[in-house]
Amino acid sequence: MDNRFSPDAATQLGIYRRMALIKANDERSRKVIRSGRLVMPYYSPRGQEVIPSCISACLTDDDYICTIYRGTHDMLAKGVPLRDLWAELAGRVTGTCKGKGGPMHITHPASGVMVTTGIVGSSMPIANGLAWAAQLKGDGRVTIANFGDGAANIGAFHESLNLAAVWKLPVVFVCQNNEWGEHTAYDKTSNVPVAARGGAYGMPGVRVDGNDVFEMYHAARTAIERARAGEGPTLIEAMTYRFFGHVFGDADGYMDKDRKAAAVAADPVPRFRTHLIDSGIADEAQLAAMEAEIEAALDDAVDFALASDFPEPVELTRDVFGEEVAA
């Protein structure tokens, strides 16, 4: 492994902050829904914290990501402000899309979150378009296309990889393989790893432990720097496991209890926290203060969101067509 692509102490702390935020935000989301204060569809990314935290540590503020409905971890890692995020989750006018996108369609270009899509696999062709624009402009931006293992068998996956390889687009395809496509186990739908398909289109295909910070960071940085240098796309298959059912309220009876218990016991967030302390990068007081700061920010964001107004009915006809602006 190239030691140049190993995270230094400051980068490791930044990765942990993202991971801790994602974990705390997920716990708060489920708590608020259970309390009845907010009704919304929610797709928990718990267990997948390492992947976007390492990826975003390798991106610039100007780089783009496209994500899917199970994507709050990607949004938070890239820097969507908590107040804006929660207001959109709550359907309020102060949200990222003025309350009109909701949990499955959060977009925040200011932080590089260009689309959250509810259509399986559609993050990839959109990411190609963004990458092509960056290539034409020569602005050095890289685009990340996040998707789940369930999207790897649809046409958009193959079409996107083919086009990106032919045009050498600055895009990285990231399959967050949590072993479940909704309620169907991955090994029931494919005989080969997702990463093995990269070679068919002439791009590197890398399968990594998506719960190992060092392995994930190395793969992400290698692919991102390759894309930024004009060398074309990479397909990363990051192996992980989601801790909950497909959607909030799913009893997850189809998930093997022993496999799930093993995944939860190997929770990557406390495991990396322990590493930071054991390696002397941070102490208990420092990490506890960081986590308390995150909880306070979540308190503020939830209160802000629920105190904000719903959109006025006139918003139904706004942001539908482009409006000509007088010179």
Side-chain angles (χ1 to χ4, degrees):
M1 185 176 290
D2 191 332
N3 289 330
R4 294 175 304 156
F5 291 172
S6 295
D8 58 21
T11 301
Q12 290 183 50
L13 271 176
I15 289 170
Y16 180 73
R17 176 181 286 276
R18 290 180 173 95
M19 291 169 61
L21 173 59
I22 292 164
K23 176 178 178 289
N25 186 81
D26 178 78
E27 291 169 347
R28 186 65 62 95
S29 297
R30 290 182 282 110
K31 180 179 179 180
V32 171
I33 295 171
R34 284 195 302 266
S35 73
R37 298 173 71 196
L38 183 59
V39 177
M40 66 174 181
Y42 182 63
Y43 301 85
S44 172
R46 186 72 179 87
Q48 301 177 214
E49 294 86 354
V50 170
I51 300 169
S53 298
C54 289
I55 290 171
S56 288
C58 302
L59 297 173
T60 69
D61 292 342
D62 292 332
D63 288 329
Y64 297 136
I65 72 164
C66 297
T67 189
I68 60 175
Y69 51 84
R70 192 186 313 280
T72 53
H73 57 325
D74 300 321
M75 303 167 206
L76 289 168
K78 191 62 172 72
V80 175
L82 276 176
R83 278 190 165 196
D84 301 41
L85 174 66
W86 271 90
E88 191 60 36
L89 293 176
R92 307 306 167 98
V93 72
T94 51
T96 59
C97 300
K98 298 193 288 187
K100 296 188 285 187
M104 293 178 68
H105 300 286
I106 290 170
T107 299
H108 192 255
S111 62
V113 179
M114 303 307 291
V115 70
T116 299
T117 174
I119 301 174
V120 174
S122 63
S123 62
M124 291 175 273
I126 296 171
N128 271 359
L130 292 164
W132 188 28
Q135 186 183 72
L136 292 173
K137 293 176 182 176
D139 60 18
R141 281 186 167 109
V142 171
T143 301
I144 305 295
N146 291 290
F147 59 100
D149 46 286
N153 291 325
I154 70 169
F157 169 88
H158 299 279
E159 293 167 3
S160 297
L161 265 64
N162 184 63
L163 184 64
V166 170
W167 288 356
K168 286 194 172 182
L169 296 179
V171 61
V172 180
F173 299 100
V174 180
C175 175
Q176 299 190 28
N177 189 341
N178 61 23
E179 301 186 21
W180 291 97
E182 293 196 4
H183 307 90
T184 305
Y186 179 73
D187 61 8
K188 302 295 184 184
T189 64
S190 179
N191 288 326
V192 297
V194 173
R197 302 176 185 183
Y201 297 102
M203 70 177 71
V206 184
R207 182 182 247 201
V208 299
D209 181 351
N211 287 355
D212 182 303
V213 167
F214 297 95
E215 194 171 331
M216 187 66 227
Y217 180 87
H218 180 271
R221 187 167 171 189
T222 301
I224 289 166
E225 293 201 6
R226 180 174 182 274
R228 208 181 302 281
E231 297 173 12
T234 300
L235 171 62
I236 297 175
E237 181 183 13
M239 302 304 297
T240 183
Y241 198 84
R242 71 176 200 229
F243 287 179
F244 297 100
H246 175 58
V247 67
F248 185 85
D250 177 351
D252 70 31
Y254 50 89
M255 299 172 80
D256 181 84
K257 290 181 173 58
D258 292 339
R259 174 70 185 94
K260 178 181 175 180
V264 172
D267 189 337
V269 182
R271 189 173 68 192
F272 192 59
R273 189 184 196 277
T274 298
H275 157 77
L276 293 176
I277 294 173
D278 290 348
S279 62
I281 292 175
D283 57 30
E284 173 61 36
Q286 184 180 357
L287 296 182
M290 177 192 295
E291 291 152 3
E293 179 184 318
I294 288 170
E295 292 293 343
L298 282 167
D299 289 340
D300 172 74
V302 174
D303 290 344
F304 170 80
L306 297 181
S308 296
D309 293 329
F310 287 103
E312 294 292 335
V314 69
E315 287 293 340
L316 289 170
T317 60
R318 289 181 177 162
D319 306 313
V320 178
F321 300 102
E323 297 180 8
E324 184 175 345
V325 179

